[in-house]
DNA sequence: CGAAAATATCGAATGCTATTCAATTAGCCT
DNA sequence: AGGCTAATTGAATAGCATTCGATATTTTCG
């Protein structure tokens, strides 16, 4: 009986396993050779299957790459969430710094995949990474930011999408610049301060400012208090004089 | 005699003209069909020459695209400089807004070329847009920024490369987001405030603050001084009265 | 259990293109 | 003019994704 109990369940998991094997092989080959450089034959060989078989799992090379990319972004999302979970600090800016450092590094290391994510739509018709996968990734930032607002560390009138554009946009642009200066003969731009500068901008621009100080330490609330006291005194004096 | 004077000068300019014709045809076809969709045959037909002839002008399809891209970036540089020249305002932030508006629009309209600029390096070996062409383009921003510093409109301790990364990075990221929400069923994000927000961030973060004034011209330091003087007077008076 | 039906796999054949190259043409010089 | 060089051509080549008929494996059901 047991020997007969081999229903579609087993078959399904078998197919799913094979699909994972193909995806894993594809990922490896794409990483090594890029999209154009990757040969379907080599992917098939690495997955231990025939060339044609790939096409019963994925429509085309482009769709295979797309599956790899979506898996890639999901992986990034998990990693970013992992970074957020492992940061001890509860302070918004410390956590932001950790996320920024992670993202910058990721973007530099995986520049090719990230470019392909947005180039695929153009080159190959109708094929593009689902927006949901990208949305999930940036949601890590969004949650951090909203929490910062809830905790009163960030201005409540800050515009989330603008902060997000600045965060991810600047970091990706910086990564490209860093890469370019690396291949360059010229003095490479220091990578280190990028993240610090970013955090410091966020602190200055989005940080809640319970008390903005002038150069000499004067604050609005402080001055207001002094004026009240003065007014009292003056009133007293003028009362005595009359 | 005159009929005989047809030296290499004529020949050279003829070749150069043909090169321009090829480039123009390639540009048109690439714009219409993208890189992969473009057929060398069609480019040749449009340029009115044989297929093989292209290869005596450009090594490969990728190098042809590269030439198109470099021409494209040079064109953008000229246009950006044109925008800067045509803006009447001398105020830094007004000029910045004009540049931002131009860049955002450009990035949205030419998203495919811009992606290809950075994707080419990855896909096709050894082929990438010369960094100089990109540098020239961003130099428009750099000059504007440095001038703003010279004129005392911007903090002198502002870091140029950071400002540049934020400017171009955020705008490009915003453009992608806008594009994505456009193809989306969801409510599209409003494009308009992107530029305004950007300028306002620059004003707040990089603007020189010789004395941040309230609406009525009051400054913290000024009020602080006035209060000190008042306090002195009051103390003197109260001393005299006692 | 066994055979038919359905499904999955295979890799040689196909088709599409960028690229090459041998033949041809046009330009230049004496 | 006529020889020499450089440019041009498009048919032939070659590389690769994709298809498809043949084959193997699994499932179904009498």
């Amino acid at each position: 009986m047991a020997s007969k109990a081999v229903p579609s369940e087993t078959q399904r998991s078998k197919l799913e396993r094979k699909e994972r094997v193909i995806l894993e092989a594809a990922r490896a080959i794409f990483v090594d050779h890029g999209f154009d450089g990757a040969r379907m034959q080599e992917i098939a060989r690495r997955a231990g299957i025939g060339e044609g078989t790939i096409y019963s799992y994925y429509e085309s090379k482009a769709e295979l790459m797309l599956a790899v990319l979506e898996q890639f972004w999901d992986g990034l999302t998990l990693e970013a969430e992992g970074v957020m979970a492992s940061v001890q600090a509860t302070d918004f800016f410390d956590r932001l710094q950790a996320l920024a450092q992670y993202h910058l590094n990721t973007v530099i290391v995986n520049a090719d995949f990230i470019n392909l994510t947005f180039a695929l739509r153009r080159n190959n018709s109708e094929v593009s990474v689902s927006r949901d996968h990208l949305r999930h990734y940036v949601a890590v930032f969004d949650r951090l930011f909203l929490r910062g607002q809830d905790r009163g560390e960030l201005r409540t009138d800050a515009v989330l999408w603008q902060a997000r554009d600045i965060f991810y946009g600047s970091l990706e642009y910086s990564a490209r610049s860093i890469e370019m200066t690396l291949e360059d003969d010229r003095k490479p731009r220091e990578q280190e301060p990028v993240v610090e500068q970013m955090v410091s901008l966020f602190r200055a621009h989005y940080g809640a400012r319970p008390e903005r100080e002038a150069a000499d330490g004067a604050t609005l609330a402080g001055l207001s208090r002094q004026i009240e006291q003065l007014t009292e005194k003056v009133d007293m004096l003028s009362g005595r004089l009359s």
Side-chain angles (χ1 to χ4, degrees), chain A:
Chain A
M1 292 188 182
S3 67
K4 198 172 185 181
V6 193
S8 59
E9 179 51 34
T10 296
Q11 178 59 6
R12 172 175 308 180
S13 70
K14 195 184 205 173
L15 290 182
E16 279 171 0
R17 180 164 52 255
K18 187 168 287 192
E19 185 167 338
R20 275 201 301 280
V21 169
I22 294 175
L23 210 54
E24 185 42 51
R27 184 193 183 93
I29 302 299
F30 280 136
V31 166
D32 279 1
H33 301 92
F35 183 71
D36 291 335
R39 308 276 144 255
M40 292 302 269
Q41 199 177 80
E42 196 177 356
I43 293 175
R45 185 160 4 111
R46 176 156 190 143
I49 61 174
E51 267 185 274
T53 307
I54 296 180
Y55 288 86
S56 51
Y57 288 84
Y58 298 94
E59 289 279 333
S60 65
K61 187 183 184 183
E63 293 230 32
L64 178 56
M65 179 50 140
L66 184 132
V68 168
L69 284 176
E70 298 195 336
Q71 200 199 38
F72 163 77
W73 281 100
D74 288 348
L76 290 198
T77 304
L78 282 178
E79 276 184 28
E81 279 165 348
V83 168
M84 285 297 88
S86 71
V87 173
Q88 297 295 327
T90 56
D91 175 62
F92 169 80
F93 298 101
D94 291 344
R95 298 175 72 78
L96 185 76
Q97 170 144 359
L99 186 60
Q101 190 65 63
Y102 167 73
H103 183 69
L104 180 64
N105 188 56
T106 295
V107 168
I108 290 177
V109 172
N110 304 293
D112 41 5
F113 272 22
I114 290 176
N115 275 329
L116 265 177
T117 297
F118 303 102
L120 255 197
R121 172 176 19 207
R122 304 287 156 194
N123 289 351
N124 304 73
S125 56
E126 311 306 308
V127 181
S128 74
V129 175
S130 158
R131 288 160 227 101
D132 289 333
H133 293 264
L134 304 177
R135 258 198 272 273
H136 280 143
Y137 180 63
V138 299
V140 175
F141 172 88
D142 289 1
R143 281 194 294 276
L144 177 61
F145 195 85
L146 291 173
R147 184 168 170 232
Q149 284 185 318
D150 287 346
R151 289 165 45 96
E153 297 174 293
L154 296 177
R155 300 175 54 157
T156 50
D157 62 343
V159 183
L160 173 60
W161 63 254
Q162 190 206 14
R164 190 202 305 132
D165 288 356
I166 289 171
F167 185 76
Y168 287 112
S170 301
L171 286 178
E172 280 169 36
Y173 197 92
S174 296
R176 275 212 311 246
S177 301
I178 289 169
E179 255 189 313
M180 272 176 50
T181 58
L182 281 184
E183 324 173 340
D184 234 354
D185 308 337
R186 315 178 187 224
K187 57 186 180 231
R189 201 174 84 178
E190 325 87 278
Q191 165 182 353
E192 179 249 319
V194 167
V195 168
E196 277 77 7
Q197 290 279 348
M198 163 75 64
V199 171
S200 126
L201 179 136
F202 264 74
R203 199 187 295 275
H205 198 64
Y206 292 117
R209 282 167 269 185
E211 201 91 38
R212 175 187 276 271
E213 301 192 359
D216 63 351
T219 67
L220 274 179
L223 293 181
S224 183
R225 217 177 311 120
Q226 285 180 272
I227 287 176
E228 263 174 49
Q229 293 169 354
L230 266 179
T231 308
E232 250 174 68
K233 279 194 199 169
V234 169
D235 285 350
M236 224 170 58
L237 286 176
S238 79
R240 245 197 259 176
L241 279 177
S242 63

